[in-house]
Amino acid sequence: MSRPKIAILGAGYGGIMTATRLTKELGMNEAEITLVNKHNYHYQTTWLHEPAAGTLHHDRTRMSIKDVIDTNRINFVQDTVVSIDDANKTVKLENGELTYDYLVIGLGFESETFGIPGVKDYAFNIRSVDTVRKIKEHIEYQFASYNNEDNPSEGMLNIVVAGAGFTGIEFIGEMADRIPELCADFDVPREKVRLICAEAAPTVLPGFDEELVEYAVNLLERKGVEFMLGTPIKEVTEDSVILEEEEIKADTIVWTTGIRGNSIVENSGFETMRGRIKVESDLRAPGKDHVFIVGDCALIINEEINRPYPPTAQIAIQQSFTVARNLKTLINNGKLEAFVPEIKGTVASLGKGEAIGKVGNKKLYGATASAMKKIIDNRYLYLLGGIPLVVKKGKLKLF
Ligand code: FAD
Ligand code: NAD
């Protein structure tokens, strides 16, 4: 009898961990597992603010997929998913086609533009190794060009970050550290550079602990960050952002106003909310017995507050354990388990050696929070590839 085919789309946190967990749950002859990813490497999205600012080389955030999966058990296909035809259980790839009996969709997120004019054309986003390399190179080019211009443009050294959510704040923390280095490298006076964060809500990190937010804002303002709160960006042009009552000249605009699910999912006919599928409790797509969703493509509701859980790597990783177990059960005709997220906390970095966080009821600040963030990063590497991967790719210097 032929083995059932499991196709996993995307090798981010959700996808690669599902593949790895499946090799532990299933016997050699129980299923044929295929993992598809655009690149031949897995990158850690949660570190991308660092290479974006240039405080960490992008190679530190990525690793060869074949080095971390069991290639005897998982067939890795490097290709780009174009669309999913679930009626025919087929995935169209840029260079071929794939059929499946069971599907796991883990294609991650896209930057949410809310249809604001100019964002797609003129703003950068923190999405992948490819997009963050561009940010770093662009900023360095702006600094390198400055002293070569007779009349530098008004916004040449202005960096505007749209949105003060966790992504925006973590990037600003790194950028605030990087600017003095760039100024020294390219002989640019610090006062010529502006780092501005425009946030629509009346506060930074809306909904997060007020004391921790105050700590973050004070620290970042001391490092020269200018916050503009209650100021939604209405439009982005080639060299500026347009707010309700003013225009700020800036040749670098980094867009971090939230995310939506990968558009391939909704374009393939799945019902979505902001590109995310509201999954059943067992993480299957409604009405699709054989399709599981992991990570940012899945929408799960926190029943206590009747609102979606924020899409995080923490949840994507936990979901992969449930999906792998449920696939095993499904293949063997058992009862599927419900996914119950266990939110351990949130820690956000604010640049070198600085962070804020809440773990359980405990608030963490400064060096302790920063060390905790590195422990969380290392823990993921441990789950994926054991101690060898922690040694190879981990953040071993905690303080
Ligand atoms: P991803 O990890 O984004 O992976 C998706 C994969 O699919 C990628 O490998 C991509 O290349 C691949 N892919 C996409 N399209 C295609 C295609 N068409 N064909 C083939 N392959 C494709 N969460 C936390 O819990 N803690 C944090 O500290 C944290 N920090 C963050 C910091 C930053 C800067 C950002 C941007 C996010 C952070 N998050 C954090 C959120 C977290 O990164 C996401 O929730 C998580 O990456 C979602 O995992 P995923 O598996 O759904 O997608
Ligand atoms: P977000 O939705 O958390 O924050 C986006 C921010 O942009 C909000 O504060 C919003 O008010 C603001 N905004 C929206 N439209 C705007 C506009 N037109 N002009 C100005 N501001 C505008 O999104 P994110 O920061 O991209 O994070 C995405 C997900 O990743 C979240 O679930 C987050 O929790 C997670 N994440 C977690 C961490 C961490 O745990 N350390 C780090 C980064 C991201």
Side-chain angles (χ1 to χ4, degrees), residues 11 16 35 39-42 63-72 74-78 392:
I16 203 164
L35 174 65
H39 311 104
N40 62 0
Y41 57 83
H42 163 69
M63 61 207 74
S64 155
I65 289 175
K66 286 194 169 165
D67 283 353
V68 286
I69 61 167
D70 179 350
T71 49
N72 293 318
I74 302 165
N75 171 31
F76 172 61
V77 175
Q78 185 189 344
K392 196 167 165 196

Side-chain angles (χ1 to χ4, degrees), residues 10-15 36-39 41 43 45-49 79-82 106-109 126-127 167 170 262 264 294-297 311-316 347 373:
Y13 293 92
V36 185
N37 197 60
K38 203 186 263 192
H39 311 104
Y41 57 83
Y43 57 85
T45 308
T46 61
W47 297 23
L48 286 180
H49 51 289
D79 209 335
T80 300
V81 175
V82 177
L107 291 168
F109 67 94
I126 300 179
R127 171 64 195 99
T167 303
E170 289 198 321
N262 193 315
I264 288 171
V294 276
D296 288 359
C297 289
T312 62
Q314 180 175 188
I315 289 182
V347 184
K373 179 110 179 90

Side-chain angles (χ1 to χ4, degrees), residues 151-172:
N151 292 307
S153 66
E154 195 185 327
M156 190 163 195
L157 298 176
N158 289 353
I159 300 166
V160 170
V161 178
F166 284 110
T167 303
I169 288 298
E170 289 198 321
F171 173 68
I172 286 167

Side-chain angles (χ1 to χ4, degrees), residues 46 114 116 162-170 198-201 203-206 231-234 255-259 274 296 309-312 345-349 373:
T46 61
F114 300 109
I116 294 171
F166 284 110
T167 303
I169 288 298
E170 289 198 321
E199 163 59 51
T203 165
V204 159
L205 298 174
T231 46
I233 294 177
K234 298 286 183 195
W255 198 258
T256 67
T257 64
I259 64 123
R274 284 177 66 182
D296 288 359
Y309 279 100
T312 62
T346 302
V347 184
S349 69
K373 179 110 179 90

Side-chain angles (χ1 to χ4, degrees), residues 267-386:
N267 294 342
S268 297
F270 289 90
E271 198 178 309
T272 66
M273 289 161 76
R274 284 177 66 182
R276 307 174 65 202
I277 299 177
K278 188 164 175 262
V279 288
E280 304 289 359
S281 61
D282 56 20
L283 297 177
R284 286 187 288 185
K288 310 265 184 198
D289 284 351
H290 55 284
V291 182
F292 290 87
I293 320 293
V294 276
D296 288 359
C297 289
L299 181 85
I300 49 171
I301 301 291
N302 182 344
E303 302 292 351
E304 278 172 28
I305 52 171
N306 198 26
R307 292 193 56 185
Y309 279 100
T312 62
Q314 180 175 188
I315 289 182
I317 295 162
Q318 290 177 13
Q319 286 173 331
S320 71
F321 283 74
T322 304
V323 169
R325 283 194 295 267
N326 278 348
L327 273 164
K328 181 186 170 72
T329 309
L330 200 54
I331 289 169
N332 294 296
N333 293 318
K335 189 174 176 324
L336 272 56
E337 66 179 76
F339 173 68
V340 183
E342 192 197 337
I343 307 302
K344 297 190 164 73
T346 302
V347 184
S349 69
L350 301 171
K352 193 168 191 294
E354 278 289 352
I356 46 169
K358 216 168 168 200
V359 178
N361 282 329
K362 207 168 158 40
K363 293 181 196 180
L364 302 177
Y365 301 83
T368 318
S370 171
M372 176 56 79
K373 179 110 179 90
K374 290 174 192 157
I375 290 168
I376 296 167
D377 291 344
N378 292 340
R379 180 179 171 273
Y380 168 64
L381 292 171
Y382 178 73
L383 287 176
L384 181 61

Side-chain angles (χ1 to χ4, degrees), residues 13-46:
Y13 293 92
I16 203 164
M17 280 297 293
T18 301
T20 305
R21 294 308 307 168
L22 274 174
T23 61
K24 304 213 168 17
E25 294 291 340
L26 294 173
M28 192 81 174
N29 295 316
E30 270 186 285
E32 193 182 309
I33 307 164
T34 301
L35 174 65
V36 185
N37 197 60
K38 203 186 263 192
H39 311 104
N40 62 0
Y41 57 83
H42 163 69
Y43 57 85
Q44 298 198 72
T45 308
T46 61

